[in-house]
Amino acid sequence: MSDSVEPEGKELSPVDFIQLQQYIDYCSLKVKDVLREFDADGRLAQYRHGECIDKHGFRLFLKTYLEVEDFPVDLCQRLFTSFQTSDQTREVFLKDVSCYFSLLEDGQPRDKLEFAFRLYDRDGNGVLDSSEVDRIIAQMMHAADYLGWDVSELRPVLKDMMTAIDSDSSGTVSLDEWVEGGMNNVPLLVLLGLKMTQKDGQHLWRMKHFNKPVYCNVCQNMLYGLRKQGLCCTCCKYTVHGRCANRNPAPCTRTYVKSKKDIGISAHDWVSGNCDSGKCDRCQKKIKSLHGLTGKRCVWCHTMRHDECVNQEPSECNCGPLRDHILPPWAIYPVIKERPNCVKNGCSGVTDDTDHNTTPDGQVLQINPIPETHPLLVFVNPKSGGKQGERVLRKFQYLLNPRQVYNLSSGGPGPGLCFFRDLQDYRILVCGGDGTVGWILDAIDKANLPIRPPVAVLPLGTGNDLARCLRWGGGYDGVDLSRILKEIEFSTPVLMDRWSVQVVLEDSQERGDPVPYEIINNYFSIGVDASIAHRFHTMREKHPQKFNSRMKNKLWYFEFATSETISASCKKLKECLTIECCGVQLDLSNLSLEGIAVLNIPSMHGGSNLWGEAKKSDRGNHELPEVIVDPEVLKVSPQDLSDKRLEVVGLEGAIEMGQIYTGLKSAVRLAKTSQITIRTKKALPMQIDGEPWMQPPCTIHITHKNQASMLMAPQAKSSGFFNLK
């Protein structure tokens, strides 16, 4: 009977591999950390049999490395089988397993090459023989195959590398030879996860699948294959076979000029080929394919021309439709001076991306923008929205100058803010969820910028409440980013209040969860909705792979809301707290509430408007009092992002929250105030801007901090149902 459940082959399906990658994306350990557990003094040493581990040891390797208790048994079985060298063996080599997973995790290529070498260098003599090198390459091919590469293209590249490394034909390879050979092999570097350009003119390669005929910019032959057929530069779209990437391809587009005297001298930067079906900018005729490299495309204005039309006037580049946002090379130049002290200016978190703003010889890059433009500083959180963040990052690196686009996982926002610091008129685009937006607003505060730039939002998170209020939509749906950039160009600056939160424990010895934020941008709440959010957060921390899409997140929220309806864990909330608005204590005695929410914006939990629409008022534009508690006045008090007032509402339960979300009703309006003090008598669930925690008895003071400059998207042209963002 047992034979019937064994997998038919040793190959993982694409779905299996995607699932495995999702687990790896969320794990915090490195393979080398797990490998130590199998050493003689490690807690998993008993499961290691010489160089091998059995199925149970393999399952414990996955459980430890991926930090999950319930890794799917069937996927574990298929993975184990894929490492077996024959059907008769009941064990797999621990080194093969470790090498394979180290290739898939984040890290620097040089570190991965050194790790693989030392892993197979059994006697520690610093030399590998040909059979050991073959085993490393086998695992590289194994990983490349599951990543969707055409391995028939990679195999000869790696073979050529080995021939070049072993120049004396000794059959052995030293660590230095191995690392040097690997670091000079472009396809291998891409496989190992090289994500950063090292210097101007170096391509930012990625392996890509092309769904139409494409030709190599080096050998000019077509790229063949059913999977990922070749390498394509993210920044300039220069395209090559894997084997041709090592044959001195033309450099990538420059991102800055070499001296200040070249500032303002604009010129097209042409890349040959793959313009099939495009229209020539000069003669307006179609560019026809001639079964080879056809036409040329400008990296900066994205216009196309026939080869014979390239040298015709005008030769100057105007940066095309996105001119208002782009910093072309002739707007950036190097100067010899001390590198800016970003930490002193408050731009904290500066690490990997400090090189983003300097030349290889240590000169500091300066910006001299094109007149009458508003350069765009783009921050992307690649971990937001599943893989959406990574795709958005690549697209902006192509549409704009890569030096305008910052990966927040590589150094945070500090380097970008320092680079743009002295500009008089620029904008910021934050690509991420509400938490990412809050991170950038905090960084702007700490940077002490001479001019605070307005901030637009490309929503990649789950709730995206702030983006909804500013008309950027509830989530990025893959629309052309050029369209988003045009909307930013015609957006309107608005001010948004921000609020300081101070939490003082009743018993300083009592330990609770850390308070996630000291500033409120969106909302603060206590009770039923925070309880649901806390359950959601706890489950996501324990099983992150189950929360990798907006739809899954909403289903989980619904499940926790249903269980909260049954348990009513925050019943009789009014007995557990008091609320004071500008010295006026709110009377909650006649209300049956399970939650309190303090609102700064008219959206919460992914689109719920708890305050609701205000009735028309005859009050005009009179100055607001410090606090309003009169129910009749509250009925005609609208919400405003910039009125320096908070709205306080009561929630009756989880069922009512569902009615609010669907627009059937609003929450109970309690007050509109410029400051608020809440005192709690027992531990209660709380949340700030979607980040929940359990809070012991305390006093909470909320006061106005400052106002951030945000960008409101243009009003949609049509209000029809199918045109809603």
Side-chain angles (χ1 to χ4, degrees):
M1 290 294 290
S2 59
D3 294 341
S4 62
V5 298
E6 291 293 319
E8 295 180 1
K10 295 187 176 183
E11 298 296 323
L12 292 183
S13 70
V15 173
D16 287 337
F17 187 73
I18 290 171
Q19 189 177 4
L20 177 62
Q21 278 196 306
Q22 288 172 348
Y23 278 100
I24 294 174
D25 286 345
Y26 288 103
C27 72
S28 59
L29 292 177
K30 295 291 185 183
V31 169
K32 61 182 180 181
D33 300 324
V34 182
L35 205 53
R36 293 193 194 101
E37 300 290 350
F38 286 90
D39 289 342
D41 57 347
R43 64 183 180 85
L44 300 178
Q46 67 190 81
Y47 301 102
R48 180 172 182 168
H49 312 125
E51 296 295 318
C52 298
I53 52 176
D54 60 15
K55 191 182 297 183
H56 185 56
F58 181 75
R59 188 179 298 116
L60 290 173
F61 178 97
L62 292 177
K63 178 180 175 181
T64 305
Y65 176 51
L66 302 177
E67 302 172 286
V68 292
E69 294 291 334
D70 54 352
F71 189 81
V73 176
D74 54 343
L75 178 55
C76 180
Q77 172 63 52
R78 288 193 291 276
L79 263 175
F80 182 80
T81 305
S82 72
F83 285 105
Q84 288 179 303
T85 54
S86 70
D87 294 336
Q88 284 72 41
T89 58
R90 294 181 177 273
E91 297 180 323
V92 296
F93 285 102
L94 180 59
K95 290 179 179 179
D96 291 346
V97 174
S98 301
C99 183
Y100 173 77
F101 280 103
S102 73
L103 295 172
L104 298 180
E105 68 186 11
D106 283 340
Q108 293 299 319
R110 182 180 292 275
D111 295 337
K112 292 185 180 184
L113 287 167
E114 289 187 7
F115 176 74
F117 186 96
R118 299 186 191 285
L119 195 63
Y120 286 91
D121 181 17
R122 300 181 201 176
D123 52 11
N125 66 351
V127 173
L128 295 183
D129 60 32
S130 58
S131 64
E132 291 168 328
V133 171
D134 286 344
R135 285 179 65 183
I136 297 177
I137 291 178
Q139 293 309 318
M140 290 178 174
M141 300 289 289
H142 197 41
D145 188 37
Y146 288 129
L147 286 168
W149 289 36
D150 188 341
V151 291
S152 62
E153 181 71 33
L154 183 62
R155 188 176 285 109
V157 172
L158 294 178
K159 187 175 181 181
D160 290 345
M161 183 188 84
M162 296 315 304
T163 302
I165 288 175
D166 189 15
S167 55
D168 58 359
S169 301
S170 63
T172 61
V173 176
S174 70
L175 174 60
D176 289 342
E177 289 174 330
W178 168 252
V179 172
E180 183 180 358
M183 292 301 291
N184 287 303
N185 189 297
V186 172
L188 180 56
L189 287 174
V190 176
L191 174 63
L192 293 176
L194 181 68
K195 296 178 182 178
M196 297 292 294
T197 52
Q198 303 300 306
K199 58 184 179 181
D200 213 38
Q202 184 175 11
H203 291 287
L204 188 58
W205 297 113
R206 73 181 186 99
M207 190 58 91
K208 186 177 179 180
H209 169 74
F210 301 94
N211 54 16
K212 64 180 181 179
V214 171
Y215 295 86
C216 175
N217 280 93
V218 173
C219 70
Q220 301 189 21
N221 293 321
M222 185 184 287
L223 276 69
Y224 291 100
L226 298 176
R227 306 177 81 187
K228 294 179 179 178
Q229 307 102 318
L231 295 167
C232 180
C233 176
T234 295
C235 302
C236 70
K237 301 302 180 187
Y238 192 89
T239 304
V240 296
H241 292 100
R243 62 179 180 272
C244 294
N246 296 324
R247 297 178 183 174
N248 297 318
C252 189
T253 182
R254 58 178 183 162
T255 59
Y256 62 91
V257 293
K258 300 307 179 186
S259 69
K260 190 173 182 178
K261 66 181 181 181
D262 297 321
I263 284 290
I265 303 175
S266 64
H268 291 290
D269 197 337
W270 300 108
V271 175
S272 297
N274 303 314
C275 298
D276 187 27
S277 301
K279 182 185 283 189
C280 177
D281 178 57
R282 287 298 301 133
C283 67
Q284 301 300 312
K285 293 181 181 178
K286 186 177 180 181
I287 301 175
K288 297 179 181 178
S289 172
L290 300 175
H291 302 290
L293 287 174
T294 305
K296 286 183 168 61
R297 180 182 5 80
C298 177
V299 174
W300 302 110
C301 63
H302 303 297
T303 57
M304 300 180 190
R305 290 188 186 179
H306 291 103
D307 293 326
E308 58 271 21
C309 296
V310 164
N311 294 323
Q312 296 182 22
E313 296 295 334
S315 59
E316 297 82 13
C317 178
N318 64 4
C319 294
L322 303 180
R323 178 180 183 274
D324 193 51
H325 301 297
I326 293 177
L327 278 178
W330 51 91
I332 305 175
Y333 64 98
V335 294
I336 300 174
K337 70 174 188 178
E338 185 181 350
R339 288 172 66 168
N341 188 342
C342 295
V343 176
K344 180 176 70 177
N345 290 331
C347 302
S348 58
V350 180
T351 53
D352 303 353
D353 257 4
T354 47
D355 291 336
H356 207 69
N357 310 331
T358 57
T359 65
D361 58 359
Q363 296 186 76
V364 178
L365 293 175
Q366 296 277 80
I367 300 173
N368 186 4
I370 301 171
E372 299 180 7
T373 64
H374 307 81
L376 188 66
L377 171 58
V378 181
F379 292 116
V380 183
N381 186 343
K383 297 182 179 180
S384 293
K387 294 293 183 181
Q388 270 192 322
E390 292 181 6
R391 289 193 293 270
V392 165
L393 179 68
R394 290 196 300 266
K395 288 177 181 177
F396 276 126
Q397 286 171 328
Y398 172 64
L399 291 172
L400 305 171
N401 190 324
R403 295 191 182 275
Q404 296 176 246
V405 185
Y406 288 79
N407 181 338
L408 287 171
S409 66
S410 300
L417 293 175
C418 287
F419 189 35
F420 277 64
R421 179 180 184 83
D422 296 325
L423 293 193
Q424 296 299 306
D425 198 358
Y426 67 101
R427 305 183 183 107
I428 289 177
L429 173 62
V430 181
C431 307
D434 288 339
T436 306
V437 178
W439 180 14
I440 300 303
L441 294 180
D442 286 348
I444 292 173
D445 281 347
K446 294 173 183 175
N448 194 26
L449 300 174
I451 295 176
R452 295 175 67 95
V455 178
V457 183
L458 181 65
L460 300 181
T462 302
N464 303 312
D465 288 296
L466 182 54
R468 293 172 193 270
C469 298
L470 297 172
R471 294 204 289 256
W472 296 112
Y476 175 61
D477 56 5
V479 68
D480 185 357
L481 290 179
S482 296
R483 178 178 151 189
I484 302 290
L485 292 175
K486 293 305 289 185
E487 290 183 352
I488 293 173
E489 184 176 348
F490 296 105
S491 60
T492 306
V494 296
L495 293 176
M496 182 187 76
D497 295 321
R498 304 179 73 227
W499 302 82
S500 295
V501 181
Q502 182 184 16
V503 179
V504 182
L505 286 171
E506 290 296 308
D507 181 358
S508 59
Q509 302 299 316
E510 192 164 2
R511 296 289 179 137
D513 298 336
V515 180
Y517 302 128
E518 296 177 352
I519 295 171
I520 299 172
N521 293 311
N522 298 359
Y523 55 83
F524 165 84
S525 69
I526 301 176
V528 57
D529 66 309
S531 176
I532 296 168
H534 190 259
R535 294 186 191 187
F536 176 91
H537 183 77
T538 303
M539 179 65 81
R540 185 169 60 179
E541 288 284 303
K542 189 176 180 181
H543 304 285
Q545 72 284 352
K546 296 180 179 180
F547 297 79
N548 52 20
S549 73
R550 288 195 195 99
M551 182 54 69
K552 284 184 181 179
N553 291 350
K554 288 180 178 179
L555 290 173
W556 277 108
Y557 243 107
F558 177 76
E559 179 174 326
F560 291 131
T562 302
S563 62
E564 176 63 32
T565 302
I566 297 170
S567 63
S569 63
C570 298
K571 201 171 182 181
K572 298 182 180 179
L573 184 68
K574 62 186 178 184
E575 299 176 3
C576 308
L577 55 76
T578 60
I579 304 173
E580 195 176 283
C581 298
C582 296
V584 178
Q585 185 162 321
L586 299 187
D587 181 8
L588 306 178
S589 59
N590 296 323
L591 298 171
S592 177
L593 302 178
E594 293 186 27
I596 298 291
V598 179
L599 312 173
N600 185 47
I601 63 173
S603 181
M604 186 173 173
H605 305 317
S608 299
N609 185 347
L610 272 65
W611 188 255
E613 298 298 324
K615 295 180 180 179
K616 290 185 178 181
S617 170
D618 298 326
R619 291 172 56 87
N621 294 321
H622 296 154
E623 185 175 340
L624 285 172
E626 290 295 308
V627 61
I628 302 172
V629 294
D630 185 336
E632 295 304 314
V633 179
L634 290 174
K635 285 180 183 179
V636 295
S637 297
Q639 274 188 288
D640 188 334
L641 295 174
S642 58
D643 61 1
K644 299 182 182 179
R645 299 293 185 272
L646 290 166
E647 288 75 33
V648 185
V649 297
L651 299 168
E652 295 173 357
I655 293 178
E656 188 209 26
M657 286 178 58
Q659 294 173 325
I660 294 170
Y661 186 79
T662 54
L664 295 176
K665 65 179 298 186
S666 302
V668 180
R669 297 185 184 185
L670 300 176
K672 192 177 184 77
T673 181
S674 59
Q675 60 180 350
I676 185 170
T677 300
I678 302 173
R679 295 178 176 85
T680 63
K681 301 173 184 176
K682 73 170 190 177
L684 290 169
M686 302 183 185
Q687 66 171 331
I688 297 176
D689 293 354
E691 290 294 324
W693 80 101
M694 283 298 296
Q695 178 62 48
C698 66
T699 299
I700 302 159
H701 301 284
I702 302 175
T703 55
H704 192 265
K705 176 180 174 61
N706 61 18
Q707 291 185 316
S709 180
M710 308 299 292
L711 286 170
M712 180 79 74
Q715 188 76 45
K717 291 182 180 179
S718 173
S719 59
F721 177 80
F722 293 104
N723 291 291
L724 292 174
K725 291 180 73 174

